[in-house]
Amino acid sequence: MRNNLIPQKIGIFIWRVVKGRIAVKTELEKRGIVLDTLLCPMCNNVPESIDHAILSCKTAQEVWEGIHKWWKINLPSHITLEELLGGSNYVNFSGKISKIWQAITWSASYIIWKNRNQKVFKNDSWSSSKIICEVQVKTYEWISNRSRNIHKDWLHWLLDPINLGFPDINNRDPG
């Protein structure tokens, strides 16, 4: 999977997520690895699956809510990981904005996973607001350095990321 606005390692990570090749506890158990617990290391409430780690764990939910609020769009109450990572169908973006939205969702998934690993391997993790800030900073750096056609003003990115200085500002599909 590829999006040239973000590093290739994120596309590889997303491919692994889609193929079920992420080392969450339920996947490790399926492969015969004995673990002390199958519970999510972030919330300790439910068995850790890929969907839970990236989408439905409390911290991940807060991150997705914050990112959708930043973009001034509604987060559907019932969304699958496949729908979230699959593109912009539920938000009606097209063209360049669709590609930027994909870069945001893929990068956020990657950063949520990195935070989960920080908790597992170093017993340290960030708040959801710090993860959101990291998504904003990293995607701004990656996108502004990888595209000549995108307005590169940091404040504009934070306040109105949908309108990034394209010749046709309105990138939402009608209706």
Side-chain angles (χ1 to χ4, degrees):
M1 303 184 88
R2 188 77 180 115
N3 182 320
N4 63 358
L5 295 176
I6 53 179
Q8 187 175 6
K9 67 183 177 182
I10 295 175
I12 293 167
F13 170 77
I14 295 302
W15 178 85
R16 292 182 68 218
V17 166
V18 169
K19 297 291 184 182
R21 304 276 196 255
I22 299 297
V24 291
K25 293 182 177 186
T26 54
E27 292 298 320
L28 293 172
E29 182 191 43
K30 287 179 191 175
R31 295 182 180 118
I33 297 172
V34 178
L35 302 168
D36 291 340
T37 180
L38 293 180
L39 294 180
C40 170
M42 298 300 292
C43 68
N44 284 316
N45 287 330
V46 297
E48 184 190 43
S49 66
I50 293 171
D51 282 359
H52 178 78
I54 303 297
L55 183 62
S56 61
C57 184
K58 183 178 185 258
T59 301
Q61 282 180 337
E62 290 172 356
V63 170
W64 291 117
E65 288 167 6
I67 287 172
H68 282 74
K69 184 178 179 182
W70 167 42
W71 275 65
K72 299 172 183 74
I73 55 178
N74 293 324
L75 175 63
S77 58
H78 300 289
I79 187 167
T80 66
L81 191 55
E82 183 178 273
E83 290 169 329
L84 185 69
L85 300 178
S88 59
N89 293 341
Y90 75 95
V91 290
N92 293 322
F93 292 144
S94 64
K96 293 175 186 174
I97 293 297
S98 175
K99 191 168 186 172
I100 291 168
W101 178 248
Q102 181 185 64
I104 297 293
T105 59
W106 288 11
S107 298
S109 299
Y110 178 78
I111 293 168
I112 288 168
W113 181 251
K114 279 183 55 179
N115 183 64
R116 177 263 185 208
N117 285 343
Q118 184 83 1
K119 173 73 171 177
V120 169
F121 298 113
K122 296 183 178 178
N123 199 26
D124 183 34
S125 63
W126 292 344
S127 67
S128 57
S129 60
K130 186 165 181 176
I131 295 169
I132 294 165
C133 287
E134 183 74 0
V135 170
Q136 291 170 322
V137 168
K138 290 299 187 186
T139 55
Y140 174 79
E141 289 173 358
W142 293 330
I143 292 169
S144 64
N145 287 321
R146 293 167 185 261
S147 176
R148 291 175 276 144
N149 301 326
I150 296 176
H151 190 285
K152 295 173 176 70
D153 178 73
W154 170 249
L155 187 57
H156 193 221
W157 174 249
L158 288 178
L159 297 177
D160 192 11
I162 294 174
N163 297 317
L164 295 170
F166 296 127
D168 69 66
I169 290 297
N170 187 0
N171 285 288
R172 288 184 187 247
D173 286 343

